[in-house]
């Protein structure tokens, strides 16, 4: 059996009791380390908490060559851990489908996701979010502008945009870096993004939430990762009041 278990947002204690029991009873424990990460716990701390060895998985292990893990799941009780909620990532949905095609039983144990946590932290209403997007670090001769297309489409429909920020090995995109990239894209298109909401360390005891125009948000010190960005559409009165009270708007 292959069980997908969400670990929540920040540290080892965010996992559900149901998930923890399944982890401690598993034959093999894998930890997906590339779509998101628990910044409040190391792999060694997780191993100590679970009482089980934890094998890290990276993009190629999951997307290109998951065969060895699926072979194990066909014979043993295997758990696949990830930060947040398992099925927010299409990569994980694809892996579950691959398992099902091989006749391997699967299950999901859900946990808190950044997709819902941002609503509580920002006060932006969840039904007003449109399509989300990911913002990658530019590479040599590669500067994708798809995120701006998504944002402008959502803004035209009065919908908020959740922007996932890139993770590369030990490099984590910050809110100010993300805003700078989007402003560069917008300037080239002669477009205007009126407001940003930056969030850092959701799920921790001291998350940082700041809202404002580009120059204000770029000047903020959001501290350590993980960071995430929202581009709000025109605000409802309650949304604006919430951001004024809790995000310094």
């Amino acid at each position: 059996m292959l069980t997908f278990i969400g670990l929540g947002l920040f540290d080892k204690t965010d996992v559900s009791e149901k998930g923890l029991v399944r982890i401690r009873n598993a034959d093999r424990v894998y930890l997906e380390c590339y779509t998101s990460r628990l910044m409040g716990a190391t792999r060694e701390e997780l191993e100590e908490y679970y009482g089980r060895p934890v094998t890290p998985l990276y993009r190629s292990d999951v997307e290109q060559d998951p065969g060895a893990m699926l072979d194990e799941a066909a014979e043993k009780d295997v758990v696949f851990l990830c930060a947040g909620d398992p099925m927010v990532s299409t990569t994980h949905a694809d892996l579950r489908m691959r398992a099902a095609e091989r006749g391997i039983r699967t299950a999901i144990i859900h946990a808190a996701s950044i997709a819902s946590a941002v609503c509580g932290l920002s006060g932006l209403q969840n039904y007003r979010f449109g399509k989300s997007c990911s913002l990658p670090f530019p590479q040599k001769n590669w500067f994708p502008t798809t995120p701006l297309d998504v944002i402008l489409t959502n803004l035209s429909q009065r919908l908020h945009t959740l922007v996932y920020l890139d993770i590369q090995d030990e490099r984590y995109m910050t809110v100010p870096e993300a805003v700078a990239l989007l402003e560069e894209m917008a300037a080239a298109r002669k477009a205007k993004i009126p407001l940003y909401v930056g969030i850092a360390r959701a799920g921790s005891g001291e998350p940082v939430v700041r809202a404002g125009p580009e120059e204000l948000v770029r000047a903020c010190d959001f501290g350590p990762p993980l960071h995430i960005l929202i581009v709000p559409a025109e605000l409802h009165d309650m949304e604006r009041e919430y951001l004024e009270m809790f995000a310094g708007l």
Side-chain angles (χ1 to χ4, degrees):
M1 183 172 187
L2 178 61
T3 305
F4 296 82
I5 302 178
L7 299 181
L9 295 172
F10 187 70
D11 64 24
K12 63 186 182 183
T13 64
D14 286 340
V15 66
S16 69
E17 185 174 350
K18 182 188 296 184
L20 186 57
V21 169
R22 187 68 66 89
I23 294 167
R24 288 175 173 170
N25 290 327
D27 296 314
R28 190 68 181 272
V29 179
Y30 288 100
L31 174 65
E32 188 264 277
C33 297
Y34 72 93
T35 59
S36 187
R37 299 184 187 174
L38 290 183
M39 300 309 296
T42 64
R43 180 164 60 90
E44 291 74 20
E45 288 170 335
L46 293 178
E47 289 181 326
E48 182 179 0
Y49 189 61
Y50 302 151
R52 307 285 290 110
V54 174
T55 302
L57 295 174
Y58 299 94
R59 184 180 296 274
S60 61
D61 302 314
V62 179
E63 294 185 355
Q64 299 169 23
D65 189 25
M69 178 175 58
L70 293 177
D71 288 343
E72 283 188 296
E75 303 292 336
K76 299 178 181 179
D77 186 6
V78 175
V79 297
F80 179 95
L81 311 180
C82 64
D85 184 80
M87 291 304 153
V88 170
S89 170
T90 54
T91 293
H92 303 161
D94 176 71
L95 182 61
R96 189 184 187 204
M97 293 169 66
R98 293 194 198 198
E101 287 169 354
R102 293 184 49 169
I104 298 169
R105 281 196 309 137
T106 62
I108 305 169
I109 299 177
H110 294 281
S113 167
I114 190 63
S116 56
V118 293
C119 299
L121 290 169
S122 68
L124 298 175
Q125 296 162 359
N126 66 339
Y127 61 85
R128 294 197 60 212
F129 278 80
K131 181 180 178 180
S132 60
C133 61
S134 296
L135 182 62
F137 286 111
Q139 306 296 323
K140 185 178 180 181
N141 300 322
W142 185 68
F143 188 56
T145 59
T146 301
L148 182 66
D149 296 333
V150 172
I151 289 167
L152 294 180
T153 297
N154 284 342
L155 287 174
S156 71
Q157 298 172 6
R158 300 183 66 196
L159 297 174
H160 309 318
T161 308
L162 182 60
V163 183
Y164 294 95
L165 307 187
D166 201 3
I167 298 173
Q168 292 185 359
D169 297 323
E170 295 305 313
R171 184 185 181 195
Y172 304 94
M173 185 180 290
T174 67
V175 166
E177 287 175 327
V179 171
L181 288 172
L182 290 174
E183 286 295 310
E184 184 177 350
M185 295 179 203
R189 296 270 291 273
K190 295 182 171 56
K192 176 65 176 174
I193 299 176
L195 185 66
Y196 294 93
V197 180
I199 297 174
R201 296 174 305 286
S204 72
E206 296 182 350
V208 173
V209 186
R210 295 288 183 269
E214 169 260 336
E215 60 274 11
L216 187 150
V217 174
R218 284 182 69 175
C220 286
D221 180 5
F222 285 86
L226 292 174
H227 294 188
I228 197 161
L229 183 67
I230 306 169
V231 177
E234 181 182 349
L235 297 174
H236 182 278
D237 289 345
M238 182 176 288
E239 291 177 317
R240 179 173 296 279
E241 185 177 356
Y242 196 102
L243 287 171
E244 289 171 349
M245 293 178 69
F246 298 110
L249 181 63

